[in-house]
Amino acid sequence: MSDENKHHTTAAALLPLVGGADNVTSVAHCMTRLRLGLRDRSLVQDERLKALPAVMGVVEDDTYQIVLGPGAVARVTPEFEALVEAERGGSAEAAPEQGTGAVTAEGLAVQGAAMRAERKKRNATPFKLFLRRIANIFVPLIPALIGCGIIAGLNGLLINLHWLPATTPALAAIASGFMALITVFVGHNTAKEFGGTPVLGGAVASIIVYAGVADVEAFGRHLSPGQGGVLGALGAAWLGVLVEKWCRRRVPESVDVLVTPTVTVLVAGLATLFGLMFLAGEVSAWIGDAADWLLTHGGAGAGFLLGGLFLPLVMLGLHQALIPIHTTLIEGAGFTVLLPILAMAGAGQVGAAIAIHVRLPHNTSVRATIKSALWPGFLGVGEPLIYGVSLPLGRPFVTACAGGAFGGAFVGLFNQLGTDVGSTAIGPSGWALFPLLDGNHGLGRTVAVYAAGLLAGYVAGFLATYFFGFTKTMLRELDAAPDTSAAAGAAAQPPAPAGRVTERV
């Protein structure tokens, strides 16, 4: 079967299991997940959907999120959208019914679903919903950050090897073009997210990167093109939305098309030039200095805390506050030193899953789940391992976080010793982060430190889970034959409130 047919078949299998086209209100995707807005959640056939070979897991948040993995999700989404439109128009044939198939580790899956539902309800606070909206601004930019980041890494390698000297300037232009204009895209997405006209948001944000701002003086200093960066663009576009909405309520319809855009760009633009650019520039500089200070002085301790606490932050919905911080660091230094440390959380999960596989030799259901989810886990797709294995079991989730802490401590230690390990983009994790690595001491040393950090996370997660992840009672109940696996899964005590893993951490 060709890739095109495979992705069409996957989309056709998914549509009836989420209640058909009439039940779908929105379709979007991020790095690994197909995100669906649904009218009636009860129409979704969860177990049959999870049994599909292409589905790695399901996450419930403000949208219904089906984990398909990197690459696949970008190809399945347009096929799914086409089927939705065709079915709504009455021109599509009925999607084929899928066989039910066996559900692996059913008891653990039920517990994981209950935890996701509980976390979704708990995280629907105004502050966390605001953070989610901020994340929605940056998540659509991730594919461009990844593509340009890989090209930048390739160009750096060619320059170091003195290969293709006539080509490297062209590659540098390709890699840098998006970052030079990222503020425009942030402004566009900000206006779209907060209910304004996207192009007006982009127009206001474009002021920040216009070369002529060097002639403008604010707070006794001349401005610099790009000063304030993505934070300034976000603030400028948000202010533009407020001005635009104010105008829409008061300007007569006969002149609205002339007055509203003009006033929006003028007022928000002046505020950007004579306030936001300076203030956002100071905040951006502070973020960069704080990250450098944290890893220079905190080192292993800071890495231990960041690597160990990242997944709990994800469960609380607070991880989304890191996205603009990552983007600001990339814009300023060319890479973010925080992401490789946070990626160690996934390494701890992988090590813990291997330990669970070893400790439960008779529970074929859980072992089958681990086997199917382990390779995605190596590539940074952690949802299947977390929601299907470690989180419902409880203690293994905690020991997995401990593994991430030790991996983060390893990478943090090298940052303290002067070897910066950074990523030129956000989104990928695990092995998928290798093409995006960058640092201050050459690619070879950066890759070696990151790889050793992953290994430390794998080993620490394995050892912590093997020796401390199970009580004797848990082992007796869980290490059972397949016919008792569901009961064994239900007997495991759930951990503290949980949530989903993100934009592949």
Side-chain angles (χ1 to χ4, degrees):
M1 181 184 296
S2 68
D3 286 344
E4 183 178 352
N5 290 337
K6 178 179 69 174
H7 298 130
H8 178 82
T9 300
T10 299
L14 291 172
L15 185 55
L17 299 182
V18 296
D22 290 339
N23 195 40
V24 178
T25 60
S26 65
V27 181
H29 75 88
C30 59
M31 282 297 301
T32 60
R33 306 174 190 175
L34 174 64
R35 298 170 178 252
L36 304 178
L38 301 176
R39 285 191 175 88
D40 187 350
R41 171 65 182 81
S42 66
L43 296 179
V44 179
Q45 302 175 52
D46 290 287
E47 301 307 323
R48 294 182 63 187
L49 191 148
K50 293 174 186 175
L52 294 177
V55 175
M56 298 178 180
V58 171
V59 178
E60 288 192 66
D61 205 328
D62 54 323
T63 54
Y64 189 80
Q65 302 170 17
I66 303 170
V67 184
L68 300 174
V73 68
R75 292 165 173 80
V76 172
T77 300
E79 297 286 349
F80 188 88
E81 289 176 319
L83 288 175
V84 170
E85 292 302 319
E87 185 173 310
R88 286 174 177 169
S91 59
E93 296 181 359
E97 287 292 326
Q98 299 295 311
T100 56
V103 178
T104 58
E106 184 177 349
L108 296 183
V110 170
Q111 287 193 36
M115 291 173 182
R116 287 195 296 269
E118 181 183 353
R119 192 262 321 152
K120 177 182 177 182
K121 180 180 179 181
R122 186 178 58 256
N123 281 353
T125 64
F127 176 67
K128 292 174 184 176
L129 291 175
F130 172 76
L131 291 180
R132 188 174 300 151
R133 300 190 77 173
I134 298 299
N136 290 342
I137 295 168
F138 290 92
V139 167
L141 306 180
I142 289 177
L145 286 169
I146 292 173
C148 294
I150 291 177
I151 294 171
L154 174 63
N155 191 51
L157 180 63
L158 292 176
I159 292 173
N160 291 334
L161 296 174
H162 304 288
W163 290 357
L164 303 176
T167 305
T168 52
L171 292 178
I174 295 170
S176 303
F178 173 74
M179 288 305 302
L181 297 174
I182 189 173
T183 55
V184 179
F185 294 97
V186 170
H188 179 280
N189 290 353
T190 299
K192 181 179 179 180
E193 179 65 25
F194 287 97
T197 301
V199 71
L200 292 181
V204 174
S206 67
I207 297 170
I208 293 173
V209 293
Y210 175 56
V213 299
D215 299 325
V216 179
E217 185 175 320
F219 298 96
R221 305 180 192 176
H222 282 280
L223 298 175
S224 301
Q227 184 174 342
V230 295
L231 297 182
L234 195 157
W238 177 74
L239 178 60
V241 171
L242 296 181
V243 175
E244 180 185 358
K245 290 182 176 180
W246 185 90
C247 290
R248 299 289 186 199
R249 292 193 299 267
R250 291 167 174 80
V251 174
E253 290 185 6
S254 58
V255 294
D256 177 75
V257 69
L258 299 175
V259 174
T260 297
T262 304
V263 173
T264 297
V265 175
L266 178 62
V267 173
L270 290 172
T272 299
L273 288 170
F274 295 105
L276 285 176
M277 284 186 66
F278 177 82
L279 295 176
E282 294 298 306
V283 173
S284 297
W286 179 85
I287 289 174
D289 293 342
D292 289 339
W293 183 91
L294 178 66
L295 295 180
T296 299
H297 295 81
F304 187 90
L305 291 175
L306 290 171
L309 295 178
F310 181 64
L311 286 182
L313 284 178
V314 171
M315 305 311 174
L316 294 173
L318 298 176
H319 65 293
Q320 296 172 110
L322 295 171
I323 295 178
I325 294 176
H326 287 312
T327 309
T328 299
L329 292 174
I330 292 171
E331 189 180 35
F335 53 81
T336 169
V337 293
L338 298 180
L339 185 59
I341 293 176
L342 300 176
M344 296 300 119
Q349 289 291 328
V350 169
I354 296 174
I356 295 169
H357 190 274
V358 173
R359 292 288 271 166
L360 304 179
H362 301 106
N363 193 325
T364 56
S365 178
V366 172
R367 286 165 64 91
T369 299
I370 293 173
K371 287 180 180 178
S372 65
L374 198 57
W375 285 112
F378 278 118
L379 293 173
V381 182
E383 289 95 336
L385 286 178
I386 292 174
Y387 289 118
V389 183
S390 67
L391 186 57
L393 289 175
R395 288 170 66 108
F397 178 78
V398 177
T399 53
C401 290
F406 280 98
F410 183 91
V411 177
L413 176 62
F414 275 85
N415 275 277
Q416 186 175 16
L417 296 176
T419 300
D420 291 343
V421 179
S423 170
T424 57
I426 57 177
S429 184
W431 294 358
L433 196 61
F434 277 111
L436 297 169
L437 292 176
D438 196 4
N440 61 345
H441 282 293
L443 185 60
R445 185 186 297 188
T446 302
V447 169
V449 173
Y450 180 72
L454 287 177
L455 182 61
Y458 297 151
V459 172
F462 177 89
L463 294 176
T465 304
Y466 188 90
F467 290 106
F468 306 107
F470 298 93
T471 64
K472 292 182 179 179
T473 301
M474 289 176 65
L475 281 176
R476 184 170 59 251
E477 294 175 339
L478 288 167
D479 194 20
D483 59 339
T484 59
S485 61
Q493 292 297 317
R500 66 187 173 108
V501 173
T502 179
E503 280 31 23
R504 292 173 58 78
V505 192

